[in-house]
Amino acid sequence: MSQFIFKSGFIVSLCLLVLALTGCGTTRRIDSQVQSVQAAVPGAMPLQGASYRFERLPSQIHNPAAGLAEQQAQVALTAVGLTRDDAGAQLSIQVHARVTSYMADPWGRPMLGAGMNGYGGHGFGMGFGMRFPPPTHYRYEVSIVMRDLRSAQVAYETQAVHNGPWADANTIFPVLMQAALQGFPNPPAAPRQVNIDIPR
């Protein structure tokens, strides 16, 4: 009888482990470091439910990537209750998105002097388990700046950063936009990590 209970318990545990591993294999976690600030603008209208238009810097006007970033941001902005209205906008919104690549050590940390694109890293040594050539990782950054059109002052600013091995920017950037707007319009004061699971 005790052997039967032991075997049954072992089989159940094994099944649960398989299910857990299978579940992990169908999604991937995008962990973003997020920092948001709601500025105190005297006489400003509430941000919740406001209308907006996009505004580009001169360097962005003829850049196709800027239009794509705005499309991705618009989905996230709509999800938090903002409405795009170019003619009757209460806010102007600037969106920036950037990705840089770097070579990573076995723990995913940037390696010093290995295609860093200006992103600081760590020293490394060749040893057991070190892949050669080292794998390429990517640093994704998005920022969203909202300006009150009546006062021309910044009313809300948020940014999100993700480092990882994924090269599919068109999948990662919308997730970062969503992470950057978590808690809008009253975000936590401190920097935070936002985890979002997406299908593989």
Side-chain angles (χ1 to χ4, degrees), residues 24 31 38 42-43 49 58 63 68 82 87 95 106-107 109 113 120 123 125 149 166:
C24 292
D31 54 327
Q38 181 182 13
N63 185 353
L68 179 59
L82 297 181
V95 180
W107 298 273
R109 300 174 305 191
L149 285 171
W166 313 107

Side-chain angles (χ1 to χ4, degrees), residues 42-103:
M45 60 190 62
L47 292 174
Q48 186 68 51
S51 58
Y52 70 91
R53 71 181 184 222
F54 286 115
E55 185 173 325
R56 297 185 189 180
L57 296 173
S59 60
Q60 296 176 307
I61 291 176
H62 301 295
N63 185 353
L68 179 59
E70 289 172 355
Q71 291 175 20
Q72 295 166 340
Q74 184 167 337
V75 175
L77 291 164
T78 300
V80 296
L82 297 181
T83 304
R84 183 171 180 178
D85 182 354
D86 291 351
Q90 300 162 312
L91 301 170
S92 72
I93 295 183
Q94 290 180 335
V95 180
H96 301 272
R98 185 175 74 147
V99 58
T100 54
S101 61
Y102 59 91
M103 292 183 182

Side-chain angles (χ1 to χ4, degrees), residues 8-25:
S8 299
F10 176 75
I11 291 171
V12 169
S13 299
L14 186 60
C15 289
L16 290 174
L17 178 62
V18 170
L19 285 173
L21 291 175
T22 303
C24 292

